[in-house]
Amino acid sequence: MKQILVTGGTGYIGSHTVVELQKKGYDVVIVDDLSNSEKNVLDRIEKISGVKPHFEEFNLVDPLKTNQLFEKYPKIEAIIHFAAFKAVGESVQKPLAYYQNNLVSLINLLNAMKEYKVPHMVFSSSCTVYGQPEKLPVTENAPVQPAESPYGNTKQICEEILRDTAKAYPELNTIALRYFNPVGAHETALIGELPKGVPQNLVPFITQTAIGLRDQLSVFGDDYNTIDGSAVRDYIHVVDLAQAHIIAAERLLDANNEENFEFFNLGTGTGSSVLQVINAFEEANGIPVKYKIVDRREGDVEQIWADTTIANEVLGWKASKGLNEMMSSAWAWEKNIREGDC
Ligand code: WQD
């Protein structure tokens, strides 16, 4: 049974990826500092898959603990690296924390990969590397624009670190996955997105408004040059996203990749406006969402959605779940966590 290290594995996308890895028979080791997730996610993963992953609690910014991890688990064959700070707004307030955490943890992992002969890494990147693309849908070859936030910049710099390291060390084998907007939850409603404090992202704010935790949703601007004036994004179901990570990891493990640094867009190829998402939620769940239009949010791009041709044809992956299933699964999860089942 091949062993895979999932950093940030108790987080939103990480936990869904762990479940998909276990479904395919992989033995999973999670390292997480629990700065943005709860330890009881491990029990919920076990409830879904029947297998509790190995778990180590520390921050990968510590090089000693990072190396000790690989001493303890010498069978690790590949890494899926999620662990990073990821709140765009927060990164503007705390840039140094973001640069230190997101860059140093990657560098420590890459050093350990060389030291302990672990060749494969799937890296969690982001469509924020594109900024506001000139042309839509955006392809992987679109120019990387100046980042809109320190968070987005850490993703750009991490990709450059991967590119340069892969060039210097041919034995390393890496793939960066550029996520668009992950939303929704596992069909069991046992795992999902659980932001700490006031949600920054759209869909958790919608579900918390629908369940009465928030008074109303603020829609950040309806004066964009889009179908209804509200900003457009490419929303992708988190399970579709998780499955792409398994495919990418197996591409590396089976050495099916020509280059030792590749990158792919993970989106659906369809753009939806904020107002369309609100409408999709109301239609899918028969629940009204109270909202008001307010000013634009600093740093938001007007519209972005993915060209998924390369991911479909080269990676061999295609998103299958639509907005309706994203919204119904997000709502089922919100109800489940508020009813205390988790
Ligand atoms: C979506 C739309 C907001 C909240 C996120 C992550 C980023 C990256 C891409 C992975 C925007 C609007 C939001 C609200 C609103 N993911 N909105 N009211 O900004 O596209 O970025 O996905 O790397 O890390 O942050 O996502 O959900 O914050 O916003 O009107 O209360 O919803 O203006 O148009 P975003 P988001």
Side-chain angles (χ1 to χ4, degrees):
M1 184 193 276
K2 289 188 175 175
Q3 191 172 69
I4 309 272
L5 169 64
V6 179
T7 75
T10 53
Y12 174 41
I13 305 169
S15 56
H16 286 83
T17 302
V18 168
V19 164
E20 294 303 317
L21 282 167
Q22 292 180 324
K23 252 165 70 176
K24 295 216 61 187
Y26 290 98
D27 180 35
V28 176
V29 178
I30 291 176
V31 62
D32 203 300
D33 67 356
L34 301 180
S35 60
N36 194 26
S37 57
E38 311 289 339
K39 193 170 180 181
N40 65 22
V41 169
L42 298 169
D43 301 323
R44 293 196 248 120
I45 288 172
E46 186 180 9
K47 253 195 207 165
I48 295 171
S49 67
V51 179
K52 194 163 189 174
H54 308 282
F55 176 68
E56 302 294 335
E57 182 183 349
F58 69 89
N59 188 307
L60 292 154
V61 168
D62 182 329
L64 188 61
K65 286 189 177 162
T66 302
N67 285 358
Q68 286 167 344
L69 177 80
F70 288 89
E71 301 278 355
K72 183 172 179 183
Y73 297 96
K75 288 196 308 163
I76 288 170
E77 295 195 37
I79 301 169
I80 302 181
H81 180 38
F82 293 104
F85 293 157
K86 62 142 201 164
V88 171
E90 185 187 51
S91 73
V92 176
Q93 316 301 329
K94 304 178 183 169
L96 288 177
Y98 271 68
Y99 286 113
Q100 175 166 28
N101 188 65
N102 293 6
L103 304 188
V104 174
S105 53
L106 175 65
I107 292 165
N108 286 346
L109 276 176
L110 289 168
N111 279 323
M113 286 169 75
K114 284 174 44 258
E115 173 89 17
Y116 296 93
K117 310 263 181 292
V118 177
H120 310 301
M121 177 191 276
V122 176
F123 175 71
S124 165
S125 190
S126 166
C127 64
T128 42
V129 301
Y130 297 117
Q132 177 55 68
E134 277 125 39
K135 208 165 124 344
L136 288 167
V138 64
T139 71
E140 285 83 350
N141 306 315
V144 170
Q145 308 263 19
E148 303 278 334
S149 66
Y151 160 76
N153 202 27
T154 65
K155 290 301 178 183
Q156 288 181 2
I157 297 169
C158 284
E159 286 201 10
E160 286 161 15
I161 291 171
L162 285 172
R163 187 190 314 275
D164 292 345
T165 309
K167 206 181 289 174
Y169 306 104
E171 70 274 20
L172 287 185
N173 207 8
T174 60
I175 287 177
L177 298 177
R178 293 174 176 174
Y179 309 159
F180 282 71
N181 287 54
V183 296
H186 192 263
E187 60 189 8
T188 59
L190 286 170
I191 51 177
E193 189 171 12
L194 191 54
K196 292 197 167 171
V198 178
Q200 299 299 305
N201 291 126
L202 176 64
V203 172
F205 209 111
I206 288 178
T207 58
Q208 289 190 15
T209 302
I211 206 155
L213 265 179
R214 307 286 163 205
D215 175 41
Q216 65 178 348
L217 167 75
S218 298
V219 173
F220 297 137
D222 68 346
D223 56 351
Y224 286 106
N225 180 21
T226 64
I227 186 170
D228 55 24
S230 63
V232 173
R233 295 289 184 278
D234 186 332
Y235 296 92
I236 174 171
H237 197 293
V238 65
V239 172
D240 275 332
L241 195 67
Q243 288 168 352
H245 288 74
I246 316 312
I247 293 172
E250 289 177 344
R251 180 177 173 82
L252 296 174
L253 287 164
D254 303 341
N256 282 339
N257 51 323
E258 292 78 45
E259 298 296 322
N260 70 335
F261 173 62
E262 296 180 307
F263 41 94
F264 299 95
N265 283 345
L266 295 190
T268 63
T270 304
S272 302
S273 74
V274 175
L275 294 174
Q276 286 174 329
V277 171
I278 294 170
N279 185 45
F281 180 87
E282 293 178 332
E283 301 234 319
N285 302 303
I287 307 254
V289 175
K290 198 166 160 236
Y291 69 87
K292 64 180 175 185
I293 306 290
V294 300
D295 292 340
R296 295 180 176 190
R297 178 174 67 177
E298 191 67 31
D300 274 347
V301 297
E302 176 174 81
Q303 50 187 335
I304 183 169
W305 63 92
D307 181 311
T308 60
T309 309
I310 295 182
N312 302 157
E313 292 178 2
V314 176
L315 194 55
W317 165 88
K318 188 168 174 51
S320 64
K321 300 175 189 311
L323 207 49
N324 184 287
E325 191 171 349
M326 294 179 214
M327 294 300 112
S328 55
S329 63
W331 180 231
W333 159 248
E334 183 69 51
K335 286 189 292 183
N336 199 19
I337 39 175
R338 302 305 164 199
E339 281 147 20
D341 287 16
C342 289

